[in-house]
């Protein structure tokens, strides 16, 4: 999920995560990601930024969580089993009431030409390609979250 820097060592390669800046935001974020390792890394990073994080493992869980809680932002992986991010975004948008618009940030790996447009057409507010660069994520969060 995150951009990593590889450093050669005697034993091979070591992966180093870029340090995450501390508490810059507040709010409740829904992280929708099917990969357990990505869930842990992203949730920890978002928590260090000051956000409360709930995690859903697929689109079905995301839609259910949306019906049960209010989120300030949703980070939505778009390639997942059960229900993909496109369908989950469409369903979430159909459930929003007047004056309600939860920012949904689309996350895609193996970004292909046209992916950004598909995500935005489905109702995503913005788009990030994996691996996500920390500066890119911070900039996008600043755009969509109120401090």
């Amino acid at each position: 999920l995150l951009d990593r820097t590889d450093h050669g060592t005697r034993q091979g390669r070591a992966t180093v995560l870029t340090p995450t800046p501390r508490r810059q935001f507040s709010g409740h974020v829904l992280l929708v990601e099917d990969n357990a390792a990505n869930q842990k890394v992203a949730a920890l990073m978002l928590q260090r930024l000051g956000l409360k994080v709930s995690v859903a493992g697929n689109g079905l869980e995301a839609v259910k969580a949306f019906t049960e809680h209010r989120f300030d932002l949703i980070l939505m992986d778009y390639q997942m089993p059960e229900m993909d991010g496109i369908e989950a975004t469409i369903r979430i948008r159909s459930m929003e009431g007047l004056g309600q618009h939860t920012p949904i940030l689309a996350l895609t790996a193996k970004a292909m030409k046209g992916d950004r447009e598909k995500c935005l057409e489905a109702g995503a507010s913005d788009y990030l390609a994996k691996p996500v660069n920390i500066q890119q994520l911070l900039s996008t969060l600043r755009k969509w979250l109120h401090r």
Side-chain angles (χ1 to χ4, degrees):
L1 177 66
L2 295 176
D3 190 11
R4 294 178 171 89
T5 304
D6 287 332
H7 297 281
T9 64
R10 278 190 191 169
Q11 291 86 17
R13 294 202 170 273
T15 300
V16 178
L17 290 176
T18 305
T20 304
R22 299 277 175 195
R23 300 204 176 269
Q24 295 187 25
F25 304 98
S26 63
H28 190 183
V29 173
L30 176 61
L31 172 64
V32 188
E33 169 66 57
D34 63 320
N35 180 288
N38 285 348
Q39 286 176 356
K40 288 178 185 174
V41 170
L44 180 61
M45 179 192 59
L46 293 166
Q47 289 166 348
R48 284 184 179 167
L49 290 171
L51 296 164
K52 177 181 176 186
V53 180
S54 294
V55 178
N58 60 52
L60 286 173
E61 292 176 14
V63 171
K64 184 177 187 299
F66 183 80
T67 65
E68 297 171 352
H69 304 282
R70 184 190 170 283
F71 297 100
D72 298 296
L73 183 130
I74 299 171
L75 286 161
M76 178 81 71
D77 184 16
Y78 270 69
Q79 298 171 338
M80 297 179 292
E82 305 287 326
M83 179 188 293
D84 67 20
I86 297 277
E87 182 63 28
T89 297
I90 291 168
R91 289 192 187 188
I92 288 169
R93 290 294 183 230
S94 73
M95 291 187 288
E96 289 182 319
L98 289 176
Q100 181 185 13
H101 183 80
T102 305
I104 299 175
L105 307 182
L107 300 170
T108 62
K110 302 177 198 165
M112 306 290 285
K113 185 176 178 164
D115 282 353
R116 183 180 201 287
E117 291 74 21
K118 284 181 196 174
C119 294
L120 296 176
E121 286 173 13
S125 307
D126 216 331
Y127 172 90
L128 294 168
K130 292 180 188 178
V132 177
N133 169 298
I134 187 70
Q135 294 306 320
Q136 184 182 32
L137 177 62
L138 287 170
S139 174
T140 305
L141 290 175
R142 281 186 198 104
K143 180 177 172 181
W144 295 103
L145 282 176
H146 302 290
R147 295 184 186 200

